[in-house]
Amino acid sequence: MRITLFFLFLLLQQTLAFAQTVELPLKSPAASTALTIGYTHISIDYSAPSVLDREIWGGLVPYDTLWRAGANAATTVGFSTDVKVNGQPLKAGKYALLVLPRKDSTWTVIFNQNTSLHGTNGYQPEQDALRVNIRPKFARTRHQEMLQYEIVRQNIENGYMLLSWEKLRLYLPIKVETMDRAIAEIEEALAATPDEGEWEIYLQAADFLFWSGAVNPARTYAQKSVDNKPTAQGYWLLARINAKQEAYQAALEATSEALKLADNNFKARYGKTVQEKQAAWKDERQ
């Protein structure tokens, strides 16, 4: 009898061991998204459940009840620098993201310092780093079957996080500090650069500022670049900045200077564009 029980025990252990080796895909698979806006790297890690013909809002996700904003372990959001979320300051770091949905009202989005949460178990309000109220939007027709997060860059200092699931579209505006740091980096580089090399720092600064939409300071730096060392690249950038400000005569004059200094590489790269812009600016000037 004891021998029989012993062999049954061994057989049971082998059966359990075999069962433990089965690995199946998660119903709510892990997902992530990341983007850098200016100097700030933003990342979101989450699990993505599907609708599966279920009633989501007020059903699977009850109103007035804290929701993990995903599935399985906590949804987490990371910021490499201090940011503002919906106009409210939030320190750099990694946070658990939770949502309190309400019917016919704003929803509360919570950034909690405890990133080890599994769902909402163990949640403590005193560990909240930030709470913001956001009015949700619901698409009329477009259906998002699997929960999805996106990070969208609008410009060098602004963007938003978007949570989409079923018909829900929840937008969280994000603002980062870019221009102040960029100007500080430029000034620091100039302070450490010999006089004969300053033209290149001015040129880099002007190109960045023009690209980011800061046209007036871009023109100042572009002018300083060509004053320090006349180059085809510097005058061509100055020409485009002047044209942006609708100073077409100044743009044409800067273009002429650029062509005087142009080497074969510049002509091969920009020649056709320069000709097209010259013609357009002459028409605008008239």
Side-chain angles (χ1 to χ4, degrees):
M1 181 65 178
R2 289 183 179 179
I3 295 175
T4 302
L5 290 175
F6 176 72
F7 280 109
L8 286 173
F9 175 76
L10 287 179
L11 180 61
L12 179 61
Q13 291 286 39
Q14 289 175 350
T15 302
L16 289 174
F18 176 76
Q20 289 171 358
T21 64
V22 177
E23 293 186 10
L24 299 173
L26 294 173
K27 294 179 180 178
S28 300
S32 64
T33 186
L35 185 71
T36 297
I37 302 177
Y39 294 102
T40 304
H41 186 70
I42 305 171
S43 61
I44 307 174
D45 295 288
Y46 62 102
S47 295
S50 296
V51 175
L52 300 175
D53 293 324
R54 296 176 293 184
E55 180 185 2
I56 301 301
W57 314 116
L60 181 66
V61 179
Y63 291 118
D64 302 310
T65 301
L66 202 60
W67 174 48
R68 71 185 79 186
N72 304 326
T75 296
T76 60
V77 181
F79 302 99
S80 65
T81 71
D82 295 354
V83 299
K84 286 186 178 179
V85 180
N86 201 36
Q88 301 299 313
L90 181 63
K91 292 289 186 182
K94 188 175 183 179
Y95 302 94
L97 186 70
L98 303 165
V99 174
L100 183 61
R102 300 182 183 91
K103 188 174 183 179
D104 302 325
S105 183
T106 58
W107 291 18
T108 300
V109 179
I110 302 168
F111 295 83
N112 188 273
Q113 297 175 72
N114 184 2
T115 59
S116 64
L117 292 171
H118 189 86
T120 59
N121 293 331
Y123 165 73
Q124 295 179 327
E126 57 268 25
Q127 291 188 293
D128 290 349
L130 179 66
R131 283 180 162 230
V132 294
N133 290 324
I134 303 291
R135 186 164 294 279
K137 295 180 180 295
F138 290 89
R140 292 182 179 180
T141 57
R142 186 179 175 187
H143 176 84
Q144 178 65 41
E145 174 63 22
M146 183 173 284
L147 183 146
Q148 181 181 39
Y149 282 92
E150 298 172 75
I151 306 167
V152 178
R153 176 190 177 279
Q154 295 172 297
N155 56 45
I156 201 68
E157 289 198 325
N158 294 279
Y160 58 86
M161 293 165 42
L162 172 60
L163 167 57
S164 302
W165 196 28
E166 200 247 5
K167 297 293 191 296
L168 172 71
R169 304 296 184 267
L170 193 64
Y171 294 85
L172 282 79
I174 305 293
K175 181 174 178 57
V176 301
E177 294 296 334
T178 300
M179 296 307 298
D180 288 347
R181 179 174 169 182
I183 295 298
E185 293 280 353
I186 292 166
E187 296 301 327
E188 185 175 343
L190 286 168
T193 301
D195 292 347
E196 61 271 19
E198 287 185 348
W199 71 272
E200 192 168 6
I201 302 298
Y202 285 130
L203 183 60
Q204 292 177 23
D207 181 66
F208 167 77
L209 292 168
F210 183 50
W211 168 79
S212 64
V215 181
N216 287 331
R219 189 186 188 287
T220 299
Y221 281 119
Q223 188 64 58
K224 287 183 177 181
S225 178
V226 296
D227 288 345
N228 276 258
K229 182 180 178 179
T231 63
Q233 291 84 352
Y235 273 112
W236 177 232
L237 177 57
L238 185 59
R240 289 181 287 134
I241 295 171
N242 282 325
K244 184 71 174 179
Q245 296 181 311
E246 299 184 355
Y248 297 112
Q249 182 59 41
L252 290 167
E253 292 171 1
T255 302
S256 295
E257 293 300 320
L259 291 174
K260 290 177 186 177
L261 297 165
D263 58 15
N264 290 333
N265 288 334
F266 181 90
K267 292 176 181 178
R269 184 174 182 181
Y270 300 109
K272 183 178 179 180
T273 302
V274 169
Q275 289 177 358
E276 292 172 350
K277 292 295 185 182
Q278 274 184 312
W281 296 339
K282 285 177 181 178
D283 290 341
E284 291 290 348
R285 182 187 58 182
Q286 299 170 0

